[in-house]
Protein backbone atom coordinates (compact mmCIF):
# COMPACT_ATOMS: atom_id res chain seq x y z
CA UNK A 1 0.00 0.00 0.00
CA UNK A 2 1.30 3.41 -0.88
CA UNK A 3 2.36 5.28 2.29
CA UNK A 4 0.38 8.40 1.40
CA UNK A 5 -2.73 6.35 0.73
CA UNK A 6 -2.18 4.48 3.99
CA UNK A 7 -1.83 7.73 5.92
CA UNK A 8 -5.00 9.11 4.34
CA UNK A 9 -6.87 5.90 5.06
CA UNK A 10 -5.81 5.49 8.63
CA UNK A 11 -6.04 9.12 9.60
CA UNK A 12 -9.61 9.42 8.30
CA UNK A 13 -10.70 5.80 8.90
CA UNK A 14 -12.13 5.90 5.40
CA UNK A 15 -10.14 5.06 2.31
CA UNK A 16 -10.48 5.96 -1.32
CA UNK A 17 -8.65 3.68 -3.72
CA UNK A 18 -7.06 4.64 -7.04
CA UNK A 19 -10.44 4.29 -8.78
CA UNK A 20 -11.93 6.79 -6.29
CA UNK A 21 -14.02 4.03 -4.73
CA UNK A 22 -14.60 4.08 -0.98
CA UNK A 23 -12.77 1.33 0.89
CA UNK A 24 -12.60 0.47 4.55
CA UNK A 25 -9.58 -0.06 6.77
CA UNK A 26 -9.05 -1.77 10.09
CA UNK A 27 -6.18 -1.39 12.55
CA UNK A 28 -5.14 -4.31 14.68
CA UNK A 29 -2.61 -3.98 17.47
CA UNK A 30 -0.94 -6.94 19.12
CA UNK A 31 2.29 -7.71 20.91
CA UNK A 32 2.16 -11.30 19.65
CA UNK A 33 4.17 -11.86 16.48
CA UNK A 34 2.55 -15.27 16.03
CA UNK A 35 -0.97 -13.80 16.24
CA UNK A 36 -0.04 -11.10 13.75
CA UNK A 37 1.44 -13.67 11.39
CA UNK A 38 -1.75 -15.76 11.65
CA UNK A 39 -3.96 -12.74 10.92
CA UNK A 40 -1.82 -11.79 7.91
CA UNK A 41 -2.03 -15.38 6.60
CA UNK A 42 -5.81 -15.43 7.02
CA UNK A 43 -6.14 -12.08 5.25
CA UNK A 44 -4.03 -13.32 2.34
CA UNK A 45 -5.99 -16.58 2.15
CA UNK A 46 -9.35 -14.81 1.87
CA UNK A 47 -8.07 -12.21 -0.58
CA UNK A 48 -7.71 -9.18 1.70
CA UNK A 49 -4.70 -6.94 1.15
CA UNK A 50 -2.78 -6.45 4.38
CA UNK A 51 0.37 -4.59 5.34
CA UNK A 52 2.40 -4.50 8.52
CA UNK A 53 3.17 -0.90 9.41
CA UNK A 54 6.67 0.04 10.47
CA UNK A 55 7.37 2.28 13.44
CA UNK A 56 8.07 5.12 10.98
CA UNK A 57 4.70 4.50 9.27
CA UNK A 58 2.92 4.73 12.62
CA UNK A 59 4.77 7.93 13.53
CA UNK A 60 3.80 9.41 10.15
CA UNK A 61 0.16 8.50 10.78
CA UNK A 62 0.26 10.14 14.19
CA UNK A 63 1.73 13.29 12.69
CA UNK A 64 -0.92 13.40 9.96
CA UNK A 65 -3.64 12.96 12.58
CA UNK A 66 -2.19 15.75 14.75
CA UNK A 67 -1.93 18.11 11.76
CA UNK A 68 -5.52 17.43 10.69
CA UNK A 69 -6.80 17.87 14.26
CA UNK A 70 -5.04 21.24 14.63
CA UNK A 71 -5.87 22.58 11.16
CA UNK A 72 -7.94 25.76 11.36
CA UNK A 73 -7.77 27.02 7.74
CA UNK A 74 -6.67 30.40 9.12
CA UNK A 75 -3.76 32.22 7.51
CA UNK A 76 -0.69 32.38 9.72
CA UNK A 77 2.10 34.76 8.84
CA UNK A 78 5.25 32.66 8.56
CA UNK A 79 7.63 35.37 9.80
CA UNK A 80 5.65 36.15 12.95
CA UNK A 81 5.19 32.43 13.64
CA UNK A 82 8.94 31.79 13.37
CA UNK A 83 9.71 34.80 15.60
CA UNK A 84 7.39 33.38 18.29
CA UNK A 85 9.10 29.99 18.03
CA UNK A 86 12.54 31.53 18.53
CA UNK A 87 11.55 33.30 21.76
Amino acid sequence: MDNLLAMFCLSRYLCVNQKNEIMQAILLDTDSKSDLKLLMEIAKKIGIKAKTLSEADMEDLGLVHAIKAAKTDEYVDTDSFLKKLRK
Side-chain angles (χ1 to χ4, degrees), residues 9-41:
C9 291
L10 298 175
S11 65
R12 299 219 355 143
Y13 305 109
L14 176 69
C15 301
V16 178
N17 65 13
Q18 293 170 341
K19 296 178 184 175
N20 226 16
E21 300 168 329
I22 295 176
M23 305 172 357
Q24 292 181 338
I26 185 171
L27 293 174
L28 303 170
D29 183 22
T30 180
D31 292 329
S32 169
K33 288 183 180 183
S34 62
D35 288 349
L36 185 58
K37 182 180 176 186
L38 175 62
L39 289 168
M40 296 293 282
E41 289 171 359

Side-chain angles (χ1 to χ4, degrees), residues 16-77:
V16 178
N17 65 13
Q18 293 170 341
K19 296 178 184 175
N20 226 16
E21 300 168 329
I22 295 176
M23 305 172 357
Q24 292 181 338
I26 185 171
L27 293 174
L28 303 170
D29 183 22
T30 180
D31 292 329
S32 169
K33 288 183 180 183
S34 62
D35 288 349
L36 185 58
K37 182 180 176 186
L38 175 62
L39 289 168
M40 296 293 282
E41 289 171 359
I42 291 169
K44 183 178 178 181
K45 188 168 189 158
I46 62 175
I48 296 174
K49 292 180 182 177
K51 178 182 190 265
T52 303
L53 298 177
S54 68
E55 186 175 338
D57 291 335
M58 290 186 276
E59 289 172 356
D60 289 345
L61 292 171
L63 183 58
V64 168
H65 180 72
I67 290 170
K68 287 181 180 270
K71 188 174 180 182
T72 63
D73 289 330
E74 291 181 30
Y75 173 77
V76 176
D77 180 65

